[in-house]
Amino acid sequence: RLETVAVNQAPGYLTDHYDPASKTLYLSDGIAGSRSITALGIVAHEVLHAVQDAEGYRLMRLRAQLGRRLAPVARWSSLFFLGGMLFRIPVAMILSGLVLLGSVILTLVTLPVERNASTRAVEAIRAAGLADEAELAGARQVLRAAAFTYLAGLGQRMAQLVFVGLLVLAALGLWQS
């Protein structure tokens, strides 16, 4: 199933990820060179993303499609919004808001993908006998902490969306403080 997945080292810290487009698992230097339970949990989690991809996990495919569509426009969205504000072009502001809404949806889709990979990673470590129960608790804790970063990102994006929405309403004269 995973014979076609390449494994490469990625420079940086916490840059570990699976890229479904290139079928490549990237492991940061610190994780690739470590024998810790933290590293084991992270590697298992990323391998399970490759398994999700190989199985055609619907939410994984949706996340990849949304990401591919949003990536080219997301980096310009803030500039469009600012331009819309400065030059009083509501359409530019609204389009930027729609890109931000897409980002919120992408983050919402990402949450169950990450949870599934983490749950299955812990079970895979247990089934392979690579860690005892105390070590599994440590792996679970690391993966749970990583999941909270996605929740924090969701909160940040939702707050940005509300802020942008209020600015658009104010610019259109539909909301006043």
Side-chain angles (χ1 to χ4, degrees):
R1 251 176 14 185
L2 302 179
E3 294 85 17
T4 60
V5 174
V7 179
N8 291 330
Q9 278 192 260
Y13 179 70
L14 298 178
T15 53
D16 312 278
H17 67 284
Y18 171 71
D19 178 7
S22 66
K23 308 283 189 233
T24 304
L25 180 68
Y26 292 96
L27 299 175
S28 62
D29 297 333
I31 295 301
S34 175
R35 297 173 59 100
S36 70
I37 191 64
T38 297
L40 179 61
I42 290 170
V43 170
H45 174 91
E46 297 307 332
V47 167
L48 261 297
H49 280 313
V51 170
Q52 288 173 329
D53 186 30
E55 292 174 347
Y57 185 55
R58 200 173 73 231
L59 290 175
M60 175 81 155
R61 284 195 313 237
L62 178 60
R63 179 174 83 163
Q65 289 171 354
L66 284 170
R68 276 194 302 276
R69 285 182 171 78
L70 283 172
V73 294
R75 70 188 86 175
W76 301 104
S77 179
S78 296
L79 289 175
F80 271 32
F81 187 80
L82 274 172
M85 289 283 292
L86 290 172
F87 299 111
R88 298 177 198 251
I89 306 171
V91 171
M93 295 168 53
I94 291 168
L95 289 174
S96 295
L98 290 174
V99 170
L100 191 53
L101 177 61
S103 177
V104 168
I105 292 168
L106 175 63
T107 305
L108 282 169
V109 169
T110 296
L111 291 173
V113 172
E114 295 298 321
R115 175 134 171 91
N116 178 272
S118 291
T119 301
R120 293 173 69 183
V122 170
E123 188 49 46
I125 293 168
R126 175 185 286 120
L130 296 174
D132 61 28
E133 284 305 313
E135 292 168 322
L136 281 172
R140 232 182 262 105
Q141 186 176 6
V142 166
L143 294 173
R144 191 173 302 122
F148 280 121
T149 65
Y150 287 99
L151 284 173
L154 176 62
Q156 178 186 15
R157 283 181 183 82
M158 289 177 74
Q160 288 173 330
L161 183 62
V162 168
F163 179 71
V164 165
L166 291 174
L167 287 176
V168 168
L169 290 174
L172 294 173
L174 300 173
W175 180 73
Q176 296 176 1
S177 59

